[in-house]
Amino acid sequence: MSVPRRRRRLPDEVRAAAVRAVLCLAFTLVGVVVATLSSYAGSWLMTPALMAMGLGVFGTMWCLLEILISRQVAAQRMRGPNSAYPMAGSRVAPDPLAARPLPRPSGAPQQQPYPHPPQQPYQRRVPTA
């Protein structure tokens, strides 16, 4: 039996965009119901309901696009701009031992994982006889 994973909380701007999308969708569905019922009854409400439905479809698509854009912006904020490291923009200090490259064969240039690695104190080697 597996333990369900806990989902991370969405950023505030993504949640606000999702709430707006749900409200626009509800507005559109109310317009569809009113347009359908007024067409059955032959009422004058059909024209305003159809216009409200059209605006609701446009608004729902706009809100869905806003959700996609705000998710991308939030993900970029977490990564940091122009960063190869996934947590570059986070407030947590990176662990210096976390991203060590594998040893390369001699002669191949080795890239440092961080721009300024921590300096080790100089230790003099004592020759043994």
Side-chain angles (χ1 to χ4, degrees):
M1 187 163 119
S2 65
V3 177
R5 292 189 324 183
R6 188 173 174 187
R7 292 180 60 147
R8 289 187 345 199
R9 181 177 171 178
L10 288 173
D12 290 338
E13 63 268 12
V14 179
R15 283 190 300 135
V19 167
R20 280 192 294 273
V22 168
L23 289 175
C24 275
L25 182 64
F27 177 73
T28 304
L29 290 177
V30 166
V32 168
V33 169
V34 170
T36 303
L37 293 177
S38 62
S39 71
Y40 288 152
S43 175
W44 60 272
L45 278 175
M46 190 170 88
T47 303
L50 284 174
M51 288 193 307
M53 185 181 65
L55 286 174
V57 167
F58 178 75
T60 302
M61 290 300 126
W62 184 279
C63 289
L64 291 176
L65 186 64
E66 183 186 8
I67 289 173
L68 291 175
I69 292 171
S70 60
R71 284 187 65 180
Q72 290 295 327
V73 167
Q76 174 115 19
R77 189 177 304 123
M78 285 298 292
R79 276 195 310 267
N82 300 326
S83 173
Y85 301 108
M87 294 301 288
S90 70
R91 295 179 184 161
V92 179
D95 184 14
L97 300 177
R100 297 286 176 167
L102 294 174
R104 296 178 185 249
S106 63
Q110 180 148 356
Q111 297 175 348
Q112 295 294 330
Y114 302 103
H116 301 289
Q119 297 293 324
Q120 298 293 329
Y122 177 74
Q123 294 179 355
R124 186 173 163 209
R125 295 181 67 181
V126 178
T128 57

